Amino acid sequence: MSFQAYLDTIERRTGLTPRQLLEIARAKGFDDPSVKAGVILDWLREDYGLGRGHGMALVHVIRRGPRIDARHVGTSGSHRDESEILWLDGRESRPS
């Protein structure tokens, strides 16, 4: 599953865009480099029912922003994506 597909599924499951979840995470201080991934994963599981795979996609965005490694773009690997930049503002508003 691509990183973008993980984010799209998170939106479907939570009703919140990845950007909205990112803002909530920042308000909770989860963007601080000292915060462990497990703390963020626990929050996402407890508040939104997200599992580890989906949670780790969001952890990536919280820690590193929307850019992913170019090696995942245009490949046939498990985390293939169409762009190096993940769309955080919701599936419906994503440019085609």
Side-chain angles (χ1 to χ4, degrees):
M1 180 180 280
S2 71
F3 282 101
Q4 189 65 59
Y6 274 116
L7 297 180
D8 291 348
T9 300
I10 289 169
E11 181 181 354
R12 278 193 295 278
R13 288 185 181 178
T14 66
L16 299 169
T17 67
R19 186 165 315 278
Q20 290 170 314
L21 287 166
L22 177 59
E23 290 169 3
I24 294 168
R26 285 181 177 153
K28 291 180 172 288
F30 292 154
D31 58 336
D32 186 298
S34 67
V35 175
K36 302 286 185 192
V39 172
I40 300 170
L41 293 173
D42 288 344
W43 163 61
L44 293 170
R45 184 182 63 249
E46 291 168 12
D47 288 8
Y48 302 102
L50 297 177
R52 182 172 176 77
H54 291 90
M56 285 305 292
L58 204 52
V59 166
H60 173 89
V61 172
I62 293 167
R63 289 185 166 175
R64 299 183 184 167
R67 183 174 295 277
I68 60 170
D69 194 305
R71 67 186 162 147
H72 298 297
V73 178
T75 67
S76 60
S78 61
H79 293 298
R80 66 202 171 284
D81 276 280
E82 294 179 15
S83 171
E84 290 180 40
I85 304 296
L86 299 168
W87 186 256
L88 304 180
D89 294 315
R91 298 177 336 250
E92 297 297 321
S93 68
R94 186 171 40 237
S96 303

